[in-house]
Amino acid sequence: MKNLSKKYKDGLFRDYFSDKNRLLELCNALLETDGKNPDEIIVNTLDGVFFGNLKNDLSCVYKNNFLVMIEHQSTPNENMPLRMLFYVAELLKQHIEPFKEKIYQLNQIELPTPKFYLFYNGRKNEPEQRQMKLSTAFKNISGLELIVNFYNLNEGNNENFLKQSASLKSYCIFVNRVEKNLREGMILEKAIQEAIDYCINADVMAEYLKTRRKEVISMLGFEYDENLAKKAIADEALQIGIEKGIEE
């Protein structure tokens, strides 16, 4: 699982929903729309700038909305609204680039409505849905707000929402199967292999997993390696803090 290509590092979520039919289904579920034409979606994901080492980002324009989505498998970072703010600022900058001179004109520029989503399937207990707000970071009341809509996609959560997107439901079944295998003591590669076989037999993401088995193993392996590395760094920092406290 070493020397992975950039494509692998993009992450399973981003790769799976690079298919516009799946992405259309997901957008319809989020916005409660019923669009039928995947060509209405304009994917505008920014490479190399979103969250640094969190690769599973995806953004698009659909029905005059900016939809910015992130999936990750660790504890939710409460700084997501701030990070999303940086991201959407860059999106807006690129959006107005063709007619940037209009920013100095009196008439207001019409912009797509930004909407932000975080899909969570980590091990910490979290509510089914909640909102993460930028305003909670300010000491005083502010005129600036950004809201990230948090969805807990662990097994048993948001079942009605997942009925609206078969692709997202299938993705969750697969990832949650990997997590289950790891909790039961399987090594990572075996946990992924078993989840792939299980889902193919159950006709869950079957065609995708059949044709991209090797890539899926590499993508998930890289993501879990990153999570382990971050946990190791955090544990080391905690230990250093404890030792420093003892010395003092």
Side-chain angles (χ1 to χ4, degrees), residues 95-132:
H95 180 75
I96 67 168
E97 182 66 25
F99 45 94
K100 60 185 177 183
E101 69 281 353
K102 289 187 178 181
I103 200 169
Y104 299 103
Q105 297 178 3
L106 295 179
N107 294 331
Q108 191 172 50
I109 299 172
E110 184 176 340
L111 301 170
T113 304
K115 297 187 178 182
F116 307 93
Y117 303 93
L118 189 155
F119 302 129
Y120 171 76
N121 65 327
R123 297 187 181 184
K124 181 183 175 184
N125 288 330
E126 288 283 348
E128 281 199 328
Q129 295 183 23
R130 66 183 175 98
Q131 291 186 331
M132 307 170 80

